[in-house]
Amino acid sequence: GQNIDQPTEMTATEGAIVQINCTYQTSGFNGLFWYQQHAGEAPTFLSYNVLDGLEEKGRFSSFLSRSKGYSYLLLKELQMKDSASYLCAASDSNYQLIWGAGTKLIIKP
Amino acid sequence: IAGITQAPTSQILAAGRRMTLRCTQDMRHNAMYWYRQDLGLGLRLIHYSNTAGTTGKGEVPDGYSVSRANTDDFPLTLASAVPSQTSVYFCASSREENNEQFFGPGTRLTVL
């Protein structure tokens, strides 16, 4: 079967760094997406990885290891506005996204 | 309009009633999607369309139907609503399949 695993909830301190992990099992693989979703709002795109390695975009970076079925999202210099859910989604052989349940990130002052 | 819109914002519906959720995008994206989001579960794909005139079934298509008569519109119909269809429904679009998806604001549907 197809499956995405990510932690349900994480807590971090303003100004710190946090890493949100995601493991995936899909029939075929065409890339890994990360989205941010604030409470009561729609998801918004953060990153896409299809090759192994780290992609950096400002305070956010995303890493992929295809051989391990593993990705992480790294958030640096945390701000209160980063409090949100972070959704991991893998693209399968039919280019359909299989979504994790999301990681709720709580930022404390 | 700019982006992707959905209507209604929220709806309370009696079981057995027919309901159409509307979705319109003005980005000329080829691909469009309907998801439902339930607490504790990931987004689940209901139906999708890779281009106008074609549709496909996602992970949870039963009880739902879609049409794609043109590029901009992708309505989702519940033929006879049941309480298990209570959820938040998101419409999304992307330039092509496997591209970044842009989401509408969602429709919160309650079936009693």
Side-chain angles (χ1 to χ4, degrees):
Chain A
Q2 307 200 98
N3 191 53
I4 306 287
D5 282 319
Q6 53 181 131
T8 302
E9 187 174 296
M10 299 181 70
T11 302
T13 304
E14 189 177 15
I17 299 173
V18 70
Q19 177 175 312
I20 302 174
N21 296 324
C22 170
T23 58
Y24 63 89
Q25 286 180 300
T26 54
S27 55
F29 179 73
N30 284 299
L32 194 292
F33 292 82
W34 284 96
Y35 283 76
Q36 180 190 58
Q37 186 176 26
H38 285 100
E41 298 183 7
T44 56
F45 171 80
L46 288 177
S47 68
Y48 171 67
N49 294 66
V50 66
L51 301 176
D52 284 357
L54 187 69
E55 295 272 349
E56 297 187 73
K57 193 186 293 185
R59 293 189 300 114
F60 292 10
S61 303
S62 55
F63 172 84
L64 177 67
S65 169
R66 295 176 66 123
S67 62
K68 295 182 179 178
Y70 168 70
S71 174
Y72 68 72
L73 181 70
L74 191 72
L75 291 73
K76 303 175 186 176
E77 302 169 15
L78 286 170
Q79 302 175 10
M80 297 304 293
K81 67 179 182 179
D82 298 330
S83 293
S85 288
Y86 291 86
L87 314 180
C88 173
S91 177
D92 71 8
S93 57
N94 295 317
Y95 299 104
Q96 290 188 10
L97 293 188
I98 310 301
W99 296 80
T103 299
K104 182 178 180 180
L105 179 63
I106 300 168
I107 310 295
K108 295 186 174 180
Chain B
I1 57 173
I4 185 165
T5 60
Q6 293 183 234
T9 303
S10 65
Q11 182 75 45
I12 299 174
L13 190 65
R17 297 298 294 267
R18 181 184 179 89
M19 175 75 191
T20 295
L21 307 185
R22 299 184 298 278
C23 174
T24 300
Q25 53 102 359
D26 67 353
M27 298 175 283
R28 308 305 292 172
H29 284 174
N30 284 317
M32 296 188 74
Y33 315 85
W34 273 106
Y35 293 96
R36 59 178 290 172
Q37 187 174 41
D38 302 291
L39 201 62
L41 299 177
L43 288 162
R44 291 183 291 169
L45 182 66
I46 304 170
H47 285 286
Y48 66 94
S49 169
N50 287 334
T51 190
T54 68
T55 63
K57 294 182 179 180
E59 180 186 354
V60 289
D62 294 343
Y64 306 95
S65 63
V66 291
S67 62
R68 187 86 185 278
N70 57 60
T71 298
D72 299 346
D73 301 301
F74 192 44
L76 176 74
T77 297
L78 289 67
S80 178
V82 295
S84 62
Q85 292 177 312
T86 293
S87 188
V88 178
Y89 290 85
F90 286 104
C91 179
S93 71
S94 62
R95 187 170 54 85
E96 302 291 344
E97 63 179 357
N98 214 44
N99 288 170
E100 168 191 354
Q101 292 184 16
F102 294 81
F103 284 78
T107 294
R108 184 173 295 275
L109 182 68
T110 303
V111 183
L112 302 176

